[in-house]
Amino acid sequence: MVKLLCPTRLVLVLSSMFLLLPAHGEQPNGPQIGDINWYLADSYCNFFRTGHTFEYDDPASWQFVFLTSLVSDSKITSERGYARINGVLRELELVERTLTDFGERRLYRTYGDAPVTLTVTMHTGEKGSEHTNYTGTINAQGPGGQTSVSFAGDCGV
């Protein structure tokens, strides 16, 4: 004999099943990219959300959406990325760098279980003697889907 749940109990059972999903760290729309307040960051690439105003002498304006840092020893130099993903500042490894007709595309990945992948699409702008300006998008893909944010910034000394 099959025992059926009354409609009220059925709704409660189904509701409790959906409440368990966020407990596993999944975001309903994918990984959320937040801002990093890193005053006097010694970074190689500095990307801000499109429309952000940066002022060197104002610590509150040091709000980055993505940074990179060059790390080297006597044999090799590597570039590491930094992003605030789901509220946590994460270090990312550079997995792939591809030159394109408009600039370059970089693929970064977080360390650890359930990695988040950032695809940084960089459109080359004005070039200076020590830096290059870029605009573009950062697409974050991981558990729960993907999100993106547009940026402006530069890379160089």
Side-chain angles (χ1 to χ4, degrees):
M1 175 182 216
V2 176
K3 189 173 185 179
L4 298 176
L5 290 175
C6 73
T8 304
R9 283 192 178 156
L10 181 60
V11 168
L12 289 174
V13 169
L14 291 174
S15 296
S16 65
M17 289 172 53
F18 287 110
L19 289 175
L20 293 176
L21 289 177
H24 297 286
E26 294 186 7
Q27 298 293 319
N29 296 318
Q32 301 301 305
I33 303 170
D35 291 330
I36 306 166
N37 182 261
W38 196 333
Y39 181 57
L40 298 178
D42 185 21
S43 51
Y44 184 72
C45 291
N46 308 292
F47 296 157
F48 305 94
R49 288 183 191 276
T50 300
H52 176 77
T53 301
F54 172 75
E55 293 182 34
Y56 185 83
D57 294 325
D58 180 8
S61 73
W62 291 63
Q63 296 287 328
F64 306 98
V65 72
F66 185 74
L67 297 168
T68 69
S69 179
L70 296 178
V71 180
S72 64
D73 60 19
S74 62
K75 297 180 183 180
I76 191 168
T77 298
S78 65
E79 191 170 354
R80 295 185 181 149
Y82 297 90
R84 183 169 305 283
I85 302 171
N86 297 332
V88 178
L89 180 60
R90 302 288 304 266
E91 182 178 59
L92 300 101
E93 68 175 320
L94 176 61
V95 176
E96 182 179 280
R97 173 184 256 153
T98 306
L99 295 177
T100 64
D101 291 338
F102 50 80
E104 62 182 276
R105 182 175 297 114
R106 296 181 186 183
L107 182 68
Y108 291 88
R109 186 175 308 128
T110 60
Y111 296 95
D113 294 336
V116 174
T117 302
L118 296 187
T119 303
V120 182
T121 304
M122 303 164 56
H123 296 267
T124 305
E126 180 182 330
K127 292 183 180 186
S129 61
E130 296 182 339
H131 74 280
T132 302
N133 291 331
Y134 292 97
T135 58
T137 58
I138 300 170
N139 185 44
Q141 186 169 5
Q146 62 183 7
T147 59
S148 65
V149 62
S150 60
F151 71 85
D154 62 32
C155 295
V157 178

